[in-house]
Amino acid sequence: MRITGNIGQIKTTRDSRNSDIAIHINSVEYITHKKDGKYFQAFDFVDELDTPLVITGDCLALSDKKQFEKGSYEFDVYDKSGDAYERNENKHLSLIVDHDYEENVTILTSAEYTITVSNEAFNEIKSDRSKARKQKQGKGRKSR
């Protein structure tokens, strides 16, 4: 995971001028809510990506739901279709950054990209990733 550009430029409204900011994410957390007995419980699945997912700053807006600590950012994520941007209520990005003043660089210490999906989509994602992982593991073996 890494970040390029000035993350501090992103404000509470989405702006196309932030397209030069890029956040490279190594894992995606899928969340669903299933009924577990009497109550609904949250279930999650973390997908470790082979190639990083790149989210550009023009698809982000700073969330105004709560106060943030210094270096902590919460973003609403927008989907881009053509030239139009639409906020996706099911996607959320949380970052924790640190600044090295001696080297004058911003270091991304933590990134959490969560997507809330339906139960059917959640089960499909889990089974697809499991099949892909098993297939990848089997490629290196020699048969006798």
Side-chain angles (χ1 to χ4, degrees):
M1 69 188 170
R2 67 185 173 115
I3 187 169
T4 55
N6 183 3
I7 197 76
Q9 289 179 337
I10 299 175
K11 303 298 179 203
T12 56
T13 56
R14 194 208 60 78
D15 191 352
S16 296
R17 293 179 290 180
N18 293 330
S19 62
D20 60 334
I21 300 169
I23 301 164
H24 299 258
I25 306 293
N26 293 337
S27 64
V28 176
E29 180 180 17
Y30 295 96
I31 298 175
T32 190
H33 294 85
K34 295 181 186 178
K35 195 164 189 174
D36 185 22
K38 188 176 179 182
Y39 302 101
F40 280 93
Q41 301 290 328
F43 291 89
D44 68 334
F45 171 71
V46 178
D47 185 17
E48 297 294 331
L49 305 173
D50 294 331
T51 58
L53 173 68
V54 179
I55 302 172
T56 56
D58 61 334
C59 293
L60 298 174
L62 200 59
S63 179
D64 56 357
K65 295 179 183 172
K66 61 180 182 177
Q67 289 286 4
F68 307 111
E69 295 179 19
K70 185 175 179 167
S72 175
Y73 298 93
E74 302 278 331
F75 295 102
D76 296 326
V77 180
Y78 288 77
D79 290 333
K80 183 177 181 181
S81 57
D83 290 337
Y85 291 88
E86 186 174 326
R87 182 168 179 245
N88 191 330
E89 297 283 334
N90 296 323
K91 295 181 180 180
H92 190 73
L93 178 65
S94 300
L95 301 177
I96 298 176
V97 297
D98 196 12
H99 191 77
D100 185 355
Y101 293 101
E102 292 177 11
E103 298 291 326
N104 197 23
V105 292
T106 301
I107 302 166
L108 180 61
T109 57
S110 173
E112 290 182 12
Y113 184 56
T114 58
I115 301 174
T116 304
V117 294
S118 67
N119 290 334
E120 295 81 21
F122 183 81
N123 291 332
E124 186 176 324
I125 290 167
K126 274 184 80 168
S127 67
D128 289 348
R129 298 309 186 270
S130 177
K131 289 176 188 175
R133 192 173 34 244
K134 286 179 184 177
Q135 190 175 38
K136 191 169 87 172
Q137 288 175 348
K139 287 183 178 181
R141 295 187 197 173
K142 292 183 180 178
S143 59
R144 294 183 180 195

